[in-house]
Every structure is written in structure tokens, then in C-alpha cells.
């Protein structure tokens, strides 16, 4: 069974930095796109950044120049380096990956359990 496990969330003051990690485990044949999304109470989950297996990235305008997504294909892990954090970045951050499991017929979307990031003024 494929699983995504996130780590690295926490509390930080405005202007600070945090690094999130998300490791995929299980019987994995291939991973397509990996990404980070975030959600605050009463709002829809929104895209933060994505990265393909070849390393092409995409990010929300609100985080451009502050957040950097990267991945280690050998470790099936995606990272989100968050710098110059703002109070409005406070949210639960979720990892998402499109994964082809071993002996599976096709790629399936998987989500992590979420990790809370709190940025105080």
C-alpha cells in the first residue's frame, strides 16, 4: 500500500523559514507529479507548488520568490522550502503525488495527512 508521510511543520515568526518534507513509501513503480497544497478553515484547498519527475515546477503567485519546491527521485521525496513566511501562509499543508504502484493498472492520486504551519506576526 502506498503512503505519503509529511514532516517539518510547526510554528515560526513572520520572516522565518520552514522546510516541509513528504516521503512516499510502499510498492512504488513510478511517481509522476508531486506537489504541495494548503488549506485554512472555511476555504478550499489551494495549490502551492508542483514539480514533475523531470523537475519542471509550477507555483502560486502568492509564494513565488519565497517558496521553493524540489524532489529527490531516488528517495521518492518532495520538499518545500518556505522562506520569508507571512501570517497569511498559516495553513495545513498537504502533500499530493500521482503514483503508479507496482503491478497496478494506472496512476492513482495520493494525499498525505497534512502538517500544520503557523506563522505569527
Amino acid at each position: 500500500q502506498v503512503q505519503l508521510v509529511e514532516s517539518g511543520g510547526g510554528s515560526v515568526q513572520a520572516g522565518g523559514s520552514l522546510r516541509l518534507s513528504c516521503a512516499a513509501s510502499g510498492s512504488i513503480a513510478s511517481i509522476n507529479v508531486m506537489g504541495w497544497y494548503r488549506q485554512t478553515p472555511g476555504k478550499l484547498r489551494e495549490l502551492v507548488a508542483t514539480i514533475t519527475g523531470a523537475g519542471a515546477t509550477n507555483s502560486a503567485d502568492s509564494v513565488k520568490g519565497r517558496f521553493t519546491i524540489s524532489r529527490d527521485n531516488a528517495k521518492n521525496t518532495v520538499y518545500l522550502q518556505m522562506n520569508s513566511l507571512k501570517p497569511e501562509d498559516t495553513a495545513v499543508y498537504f502533500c499530493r503525488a500521482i503514483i503508479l504502484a507496482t503491478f497496478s493498472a494506472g496512476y492513482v492520486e495520493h494525499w498525505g495527512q497534512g502538517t500544520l504551519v503557523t506563522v505569527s506576526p
Side-chain angles (χ1 to χ4, degrees):
Q1 183 173 347
V2 174
Q3 188 177 14
L4 298 179
V5 178
E6 298 135 337
S7 60
S11 298
V12 66
Q13 287 190 322
S17 298
L18 283 174
R19 188 191 195 211
L20 305 183
S21 299
C22 172
S25 62
S27 299
I28 296 171
S30 177
I31 302 179
N32 194 339
V33 176
M34 302 185 82
W36 291 95
Y37 293 73
R38 66 186 181 187
Q39 188 170 23
T40 54
K43 293 189 176 182
L44 295 174
R45 193 170 296 185
E46 64 175 8
L47 168 76
V48 177
T50 61
I51 184 167
T52 68
T57 62
N58 178 49
S59 60
D61 289 342
S62 59
V63 306
K64 277 186 169 65
R66 300 187 299 122
F67 291 10
T68 301
I69 189 170
S70 61
R71 67 189 274 178
D72 184 332
N73 291 330
K75 296 181 179 179
N76 290 334
T77 299
V78 62
Y79 306 97
L80 186 68
Q81 178 65 45
M82 304 186 293
N83 299 328
S84 302
L85 281 160
K86 305 175 181 180
E88 51 263 43
D89 294 318
T90 296
V92 177
Y93 284 71
F94 295 89
C95 172
R96 173 181 180 264
I98 309 300
I99 297 174
L100 177 66
T102 305
F103 305 120
S104 176
Y107 285 86
V108 175
E109 177 185 71
H110 294 268
W111 289 90
Q113 79 285 358
T115 184
L116 178 62
V117 171
T118 303
V119 184
S120 57

